Amino acid sequence: MNSRNWWQSEVIYQIYPWSFQDSNSDGVGDIQGIISRLDYLADLGITSIWISPIYQSPMADNGYDISDYYTIAPEFGTIDDFKDLLHEAKKRDIKIILDLVVNHTSDEHIWFQKALRDKNSKYRNYYIFKESPTPPTNWCSIFGGNVWGKTP
């Protein structure tokens, strides 16, 4: 009996889709681009691919600000492209691991929007809201302004 977990014997290759392989010459890597490189990755001995977020996102945080966990961001392709990726990877015995961001969402996510609109919303408990006369830190956002400013 092997006491190792499945992932302990994998050769895992992380792909940031935006810059990995552009299949349609729009300047953005995509799912079809990943599919086009599966034989190459298999030849390298890759047994699992860990893909950075490909979900719908306003891309204010490199795709880690997910606005819809059920939709593929159009710049990366479609759900059918993703299904093709799963099928093609399986043919090559390559596992697909999706980077799932569950500790935060985009401010455009429907849960966050509902939490903002209704203090009694069940989604209010998904986030931490705190009124304070002063910000907890003096951090500045790289996107501009104070980190702790309210969302319009």
Side-chain angles (χ1 to χ4, degrees):
M1 184 165 130
N2 186 348
S3 64
R4 297 182 85 184
N5 293 306
W6 70 268
W7 46 266
Q8 290 177 303
S9 59
E10 295 292 307
V11 177
I12 302 173
Y13 186 88
Q14 183 178 9
I15 291 177
Y16 182 63
W18 193 278
S19 60
F20 180 70
Q21 179 68 49
D22 178 7
S23 72
N24 59 5
S25 301
D26 67 354
V28 176
D30 47 49
I31 296 169
Q32 288 297 326
I34 296 170
I35 293 169
S36 75
R37 293 298 190 165
L38 288 175
D39 287 334
Y40 170 74
L41 294 169
D43 287 345
L44 289 176
I46 303 303
T47 59
S48 292
I49 299 171
W50 169 15
I51 303 175
S52 295
I54 56 173
Y55 316 99
Q56 179 65 46
S57 166
M59 298 295 172
D61 189 18
N62 298 316
Y64 284 85
D65 52 327
I66 298 166
S67 58
D68 184 346
Y69 290 94
Y70 296 104
T71 305
I72 301 294
E75 46 268 75
F76 299 133
T78 66
I79 192 67
D80 287 331
D81 292 330
F82 180 67
K83 289 176 183 178
D84 288 344
L85 172 61
L86 294 176
H87 176 75
E88 293 298 323
K90 187 173 185 173
K91 286 185 354 188
R92 294 161 177 84
D93 294 319
I94 295 176
K95 294 174 184 71
I96 300 294
I97 304 165
L98 292 178
D99 198 338
L100 179 62
V101 182
V102 293
N103 67 339
H104 66 278
T105 67
S106 165
D107 60 359
E108 295 180 19
H109 195 287
I110 189 68
W111 297 342
F112 188 73
Q113 292 299 314
K114 287 181 177 183
L116 282 178
R117 284 195 300 270
D118 180 5
K119 290 187 177 189
N120 296 315
S121 168
K122 70 177 185 177
Y123 301 107
R124 191 79 177 183
N125 290 327
Y126 290 20
Y127 302 91
I128 299 171
F129 292 92
K130 183 176 179 181
E131 294 294 329
S132 175
T134 59
T137 69
N138 63 351
W139 297 350
C140 291
S141 169
I142 63 167
F143 306 112
N146 188 298
V147 168
W148 304 106
K150 287 187 177 182
T151 303

